[in-house]
Amino acid sequence: MRNIFHILLLLIFSVSIGCASVRTLRRDTSTTTAKATLDTARYDSLMARLANGDKTGKWPVKKSPYPLPGAILPFNRVVAYYGNMYSKNMGILGQYEPKVMLEKLKAEVKNWEDADPETPVKPALHYICVTAQADAGRNGLHNLRMPFSQIDKAIEMAKPIDALVFLDIQVGFSTVEEELPRLEKYLKMPNVHFGIDPEFSMKEGSVPGKRIGTFDAKDINFVSNYLNNLCKKYNLPPKIFVVHRFTRLMVTNYKDIKLNSNVQFVMDMDGWGGPELKKGTYKYFVAGEPVQFTGFKLFYKNDVKKVPNRMMTPKEVLSLKPAPIYIQYQ
């Protein structure tokens, strides 16, 4: 009987411990699975700050959806180095050995932090993974798709400074519908974002570089929908989607561009030249046709070719209305 009594005590003790463990596990699970929330008041405040005193009523953009938690913009500014590892002429990303390039990028990040101490800065590598070509090539599409080994290299290069990675495509005679799905294995990574360049989308059949190409809102909406579905499928934080622009016809029917909570849309002013020319391009083709966020490209070489032979400073760029939240160096 004594042995049976001891066994019963042990069973009762074990059950009580087990119940306590379950209760503890439930408490821990409820804590770890609590959903993150977006600070909408702070978001609205930052968007108003980016409008920078705009008097046109266009900024901040009305009826723009709140992003889901984990969004990068407008809580951070992105400063990116642009280019391709196979070419020293396509941008700073391919001009230097990785270690030197990353040190230069870190220095630019510091410049922007100093110019706007209230906005944290995230470094980024903006890699052209499909480049437009004058030659039709084997696929007949006037583009060259980078081998995955080169995309892998760009992603590895970003790791030492915890940089974001943007994959950018110049479709040539191809389409976003054809090129985007090829990159899904990379875009399902939380730190990988996306960009498209209308300049090299040759819908009318000209050889890339001979004329300036175009994308329509339909093309842009395809990308946004694809990225939105990707975020839902893989439970990802919102993606940043950059579209380059320096003429009106590069992006048609901008009012039909649809926004969603999983995609943060950036219209990036891509023109080069002196400060006044760049300000005018930004005013008419980016600020004047609002979508959601704005970007601004600075060219180390082309911006200094003509008088006054200098690039715009971070302070000058930040004085624009609205202030760009994405900065790219080529």
Side-chain angles (χ1 to χ4, degrees):
M1 289 292 293
R2 185 178 298 174
N3 288 339
I4 293 173
F5 180 70
H6 281 302
I7 291 169
L8 286 172
L9 284 176
L10 287 171
L11 285 171
I12 293 168
F13 181 74
S14 298
V15 169
S16 65
I17 291 295
C19 291
S21 298
V22 169
R23 285 195 297 271
T24 302
L25 179 61
R26 283 175 179 166
R27 284 199 298 271
D28 290 344
T29 302
S30 65
T31 300
T32 55
T33 57
K35 288 186 177 180
T37 57
L38 182 80
D39 186 341
T40 55
R42 183 165 175 247
Y43 181 90
D44 289 339
S45 174
L46 291 172
M47 293 298 284
R49 183 170 180 262
L50 281 180
N52 215 12
D54 173 68
K55 302 297 184 184
T56 67
K58 295 179 177 180
W59 300 94
V61 176
K62 297 174 178 63
K63 298 182 180 178
S64 178
Y66 285 119
L68 291 177
I72 293 170
L73 309 177
F75 305 102
N76 304 270
R77 177 167 281 107
V78 175
V79 173
Y81 266 10
Y82 172 92
N84 179 282
M85 265 83 79
Y86 284 147
S87 172
K88 293 185 176 182
N89 297 320
M90 294 183 73
I92 184 89
L93 192 55
Q95 288 178 13
Y96 298 95
E97 289 300 313
K99 186 176 180 180
V100 176
M101 181 273 296
L102 292 176
E103 287 301 316
K104 288 181 175 293
L105 175 54
K106 285 164 62 178
E108 292 294 4
V109 165
K110 178 66 166 52
N111 289 337
W112 285 90
E113 289 173 338
D114 291 344
D116 180 11
E118 294 184 41
T119 307
V121 177
K122 284 189 174 291
L125 304 184
H126 197 115
Y127 179 60
I128 316 166
C129 65
V130 180
T131 64
Q133 303 288 314
D135 185 79
R138 275 189 255 178
N139 61 15
L141 296 175
H142 287 269
N143 71 30
L144 180 62
R145 297 169 183 142
M146 297 299 105
F148 285 164
S149 61
Q150 286 293 298
I151 300 177
D152 293 338
K153 182 178 178 181
I155 290 171
E156 286 301 312
M157 284 168 59
K159 288 181 178 179
I161 62 170
D162 194 26
L164 305 174
V165 175
F166 286 79
L167 299 182
D168 201 281
I169 62 173
Q170 302 173 351
V171 299
F173 282 22
S174 186
T175 63
V176 290
E177 290 88 348
E178 173 68 23
E179 301 300 330
L180 177 54
R182 297 171 181 271
L183 301 170
E184 180 164 330
K185 64 179 282 190
Y186 295 106
L187 289 167
K188 70 181 182 181
M189 299 176 182
N191 68 318
V192 178
H193 303 269
F194 193 64
I196 60 176
D197 197 341
E199 181 180 2
F200 300 105
S201 169
M202 315 314 296
K203 292 180 180 292
E204 88 301 334
S206 296
V207 172
K210 296 294 185 182
R211 296 181 63 180
I212 296 172
T214 185
F215 276 129
D216 187 70
K218 290 181 181 178
D219 303 300
I220 291 169
N221 289 338
F222 172 85
V223 174
S224 288
N225 289 335
Y226 191 97
L227 296 177
N228 179 38
N229 291 333
L230 206 63
C231 289
K232 291 178 179 178
K233 180 179 179 181
Y234 296 108
N235 193 29
L236 300 170
K239 293 289 185 186
I240 302 175
F241 173 27
V242 176
V243 177
H244 307 292
R245 188 180 195 186
F246 57 88
T247 71
R248 179 155 284 117
L249 291 180
M250 283 176 72
V251 176
T252 53
N253 299 307
Y254 84 95
K255 290 182 179 180
D256 294 332
I257 294 174
K258 293 178 172 57
L259 302 175
N260 68 71
S261 296
N262 273 317
V263 178
Q264 300 199 281
F265 184 90
V266 175
M267 194 72 82
D268 178 44
M269 200 294 288
D270 194 24
W272 58 267
E276 294 308 311
L277 178 59
K278 292 175 76 77
K279 289 178 187 177
T281 302
Y282 183 82
K283 177 180 178 181
Y284 291 110
F285 307 132
V286 178
E289 297 193 350
V291 182
Q292 189 175 29
F293 296 99
T294 68
F296 201 87
K297 183 183 280 192
L298 295 160
F299 293 77
Y300 282 117
K301 295 180 180 179
N302 288 349
D303 281 355
V304 303
K305 285 183 176 180
K306 296 182 179 181
V307 176
N309 307 108
R310 67 173 182 84
M311 293 169 57
M312 290 177 67
T313 66
K315 285 289 188 184
E316 287 177 308
V317 175
L318 290 172
S319 71
L320 297 170
K321 301 178 189 300
I325 197 66
Y326 172 87
I327 305 298
Q328 187 181 96
Y329 285 89
Q330 180 167 342

